[in-house]
Amino acid sequence: MSDERVTFGSKLGVIFASVGSAVGLGNIWRFPYETGQNGGAAFLLLYVLCVVLVGLPVMMSEFFIGRHSRKNAAGAFDVLAPKTKWNFIGYNGVAAAFLILGFYSVVAGWTLEYFFQALTGSLTGKTAADYAADFSSFNSGIFWPIFWTTTFIALTHIIISVGVQKGIERSSKIMMPMLFLFMIILCVRSVTLPDAEIGLSFLFKPDFSKINSSTVLSAMGQAFFSLSVGMGCLITYSSYFGKDTNLQKTAITVTVLDTLVAVLAGVIIFPAVFSFGIAPTAGPELVFITLPNVFQNLPMSALWSSIFYLLLAIAALTSTISLHEVATAYVHEEHGFTRKRAAFIVSFGVLVLGVISSLSFGLLKEYTVFGLNFFDLLDYATAKIMLPFGGLLVSVFVGWRIDRKILKAELTNQGTASFYFFTIYAFLLKYIAPIAIGLIFINELGLFKLLK
Ligand code: PFF
């Protein structure tokens, strides 16, 4: 039965689908505002450390779990560790996918609004203060933000219903290279703005006094979120990989491209932030108030900005389909619903969460938990708790429980593909990842203080 499982059609398809999942709003929307709120360059440094020392080994391990078991995120553990509680990792992941979609679809919806504003030319001819005011009047509204969130969930739903190969693979292949090209053009524009160097030194000259326990947790959360690890997304995708997919190369390519896009986004945003006098700590709206200023300074700004927001929406879409796939594959394979019905159940649930998240900027603003509105609560609970916790468990599971020979055989395609640095990988996985994540959690919970 498992050999009949669909696989991605080509090697490039594997890479594009995985990069498509990793590269998204996490890089272009979330990374800049987290960096802005956590002090700039010092955060970037911590982020890169988390990516290399923890994120990458966990990603390789998720690839192992998915391709070895050829099952969804929860079912995989019933194959690798039957009758144990390890499948909790999968349930945690499915729940995280669902909750992330609940706020991610809202931001994805904002990109559609900005795409239409750009297309109709209403995004030009304003001051930086106007952009800030316009954004907050838009996202605190009721009809349009909900309309766009719903549209985005519907788009995701359609692609998921069409299926893995045709839907996911094809859409990623064309759009990702285009997005990359566009970001390079925007970088050039941004670094040639007046006072660009202030932004660049904010991003690249670390001030270590800015590091505290919440910065470290934020950097780790951002690394997990951006790489799509810690929640079984890459377990699900790698269950569709072919036997000859080189897992190490795929993981390294995804990690390098993902990090590059985040840094490019930083290079676009921060020079503009300082050049136009926007506060780097503005939060979730940072990208939406900064970029229109950059576009405004380009010739044919309506054309550039509409193409950019369209590409951003597509980058978001290749991520939402990967999130949706985690939940849909689980409901379909573990609960016996048809794929179509499973997709409906997931989309409906996400829609409910999406509407509440969207309203939490306006109508439901007063309702907070631990000082966070519903949108921020979903973001915090997933990126800073569920994903790192999932990553911790994956590293313990693969590092301590899986037979080293089986692990190596799968990661090297039964000895036919190269896997350099296996010993370093195994060491990071077994010791560094769990200890680092564990300490960061304990520190943040205040049980034990290494950092203030
Ligand atoms: N990595 C995506 C981004 O950076 O936008 C978001 C994401 C997708 C997170 C899939 C988690 C996931 F499983």
Side-chain angles (χ1 to χ4, degrees):
M1 179 71 188
S2 65
D3 275 348
E4 290 164 23
R5 194 172 179 81
V6 280
T7 53
F8 287 119
S10 67
K11 283 193 190 139
L12 219 55
V14 164
I15 301 267
F16 278 118
S18 311
V19 174
S21 167
V23 173
L25 297 173
N27 308 61
I28 299 165
W29 160 73
R30 198 175 189 281
F31 172 79
Y33 89 73
E34 283 282 321
T35 306
Q37 288 185 328
N38 287 290
F43 177 85
L44 174 61
L45 196 72
L46 286 173
Y47 169 72
V48 172
L49 282 176
C50 291
V51 164
V52 176
L53 299 180
V54 182
L56 181 60
V58 172
M59 182 186 289
M60 289 171 177
S61 309
E62 289 200 14
F63 282 172
F64 159 79
I65 295 171
R67 199 181 58 178
H68 197 68
S69 66
R70 316 201 88 216
K71 284 279 190 179
N72 64 78
F77 295 92
D78 296 331
V79 173
L80 298 176
K83 301 206 171 48
T84 62
K85 297 264 181 287
W86 284 107
N87 56 10
F88 172 78
I89 300 176
Y91 298 128
N92 176 62
V94 172
F98 195 68
L99 299 179
I100 292 176
L101 278 170
F103 71 91
Y104 199 94
S105 314
V106 174
V107 185
W110 297 345
T111 66
L112 292 179
E113 161 77 18
Y114 271 64
F115 166 62
F116 280 99
Q117 283 197 25
L119 208 60
T120 54
S122 55
L123 215 53
T124 47
K126 295 179 190 168
T127 63
D130 291 339
Y131 286 121
D134 287 358
F135 181 79
S136 79
S137 91
F138 158 68
N139 87 337
S140 59
I142 297 178
F143 180 79
W144 287 110
I146 291 181
F147 172 81
W148 291 123
T149 303
T150 310
T151 306
F152 209 89
I153 295 169
L155 285 173
T156 309
H157 179 89
I158 292 167
I159 296 188
I160 285 292
S161 310
V162 175
V164 172
Q165 207 186 68
K166 283 197 222 124
I168 299 177
E169 196 175 336
R170 239 189 249 163
S171 46
S172 320
K173 255 186 188 166
I174 316 165
M175 307 300 171
M176 299 316 294
M178 276 178 74
L179 180 75
F180 214 70
L181 188 74
F182 254 72
M183 292 194 66
I184 293 183
I185 298 174
L186 285 178
C187 264
V188 174
R189 173 64 280 212
S190 198
V191 297
T192 49
L193 286 169
D195 292 333
E197 59 295 345
I198 308 176
L200 291 175
S201 75
F202 178 80
L203 184 61
F204 293 119
K205 261 211 195 126
D207 169 0
F208 293 104
S209 67
K210 298 259 169 69
I211 294 178
N212 58 40
S213 88
S214 98
T215 327
V216 181
L217 181 67
S218 300
M220 187 174 64
Q222 177 59 25
F224 276 87
F225 189 87
S226 190
L227 294 172
S228 302
V229 298
M231 49 156 292
C233 179
L234 298 177
I235 295 178
T236 310
Y237 264 22
S238 56
S239 75
Y240 306 124
F241 286 1
K243 289 196 179 72
D244 58 345
T245 298
N246 185 321
L247 298 182
Q248 186 184 36
K249 257 195 211 152
T250 307
I252 292 177
T253 311
V254 173
T255 304
V256 169
L257 289 177
D258 187 67
T259 309
L260 207 62
V261 174
V263 174
L264 276 181
V267 174
I268 296 171
I269 304 296
F270 290 107
V273 159
F274 288 95
S275 187
F276 298 113
I278 297 162
T281 50
E285 72 239 54
L286 184 67
V287 167
F288 291 92
I289 56 181
T290 311
L291 285 181
N293 286 292
V294 181
F295 286 121
Q296 197 167 224
N297 278 279
L298 285 172
M300 297 189 296
S301 79
L303 178 73
W304 292 114
S305 53
S306 44
I307 299 178
F308 179 82
Y309 283 112
L310 184 64
L311 290 171
L312 187 56
I314 291 161
L317 191 59
T318 54
S319 299
T320 54
I321 53 188
S322 74
L323 287 158
H324 202 298
E325 181 64 26
V326 175
T328 301
Y330 165 75
V331 176
H332 168 52
E333 291 173 17
E334 302 297 312
H335 293 282
F337 289 99
T338 61
R339 204 183 144 83
K340 283 216 155 53
R341 186 158 292 178
F344 260 112
I345 295 171
V346 174
S347 297
F348 181 75
V350 168
L351 185 62
V352 173
L353 290 180
V355 168
I356 304 174
S357 300
S358 178
L359 291 176
S360 71
F361 288 99
L363 197 63
L364 304 179
K365 197 164 62 195
E366 311 303 329
Y367 296 90
T368 58
V369 181
F370 305 123
L372 301 171
N373 67 20
F374 189 71
F375 178 101
D376 291 332
L377 186 68
L378 290 184
D379 181 305
Y380 192 97
T382 52
K384 294 186 186 164
I385 300 172
M386 295 171 88
L387 302 194
F389 189 57
L392 173 75
L393 295 179
V394 164
S395 62
V396 172
F397 178 71
V398 177
W400 292 84
R401 160 133 196 166
I402 295 293
D403 185 327
R404 207 42 83 78
K405 285 204 199 79
I406 297 179
L407 178 64
K408 194 164 186 182
E410 185 68 49
L411 289 176
T412 58
N413 300 348
Q414 316 306 322
T416 60
S418 53
F419 195 103
Y420 309 106
F421 319 118
F422 184 80
T423 323
I424 298 179
Y425 154 73
F427 178 76
L428 290 175
L429 190 70
K430 196 164 178 175
Y431 301 103
I432 302 299
I435 293 173
I437 304 171
L439 282 180
I440 294 171
F441 268 144
I442 293 173
N443 195 67
E444 178 68 11
L445 287 174
L447 300 176
F448 172 77
K449 282 278 173 209
L450 281 175
L451 287 163
K452 250 176 65 194

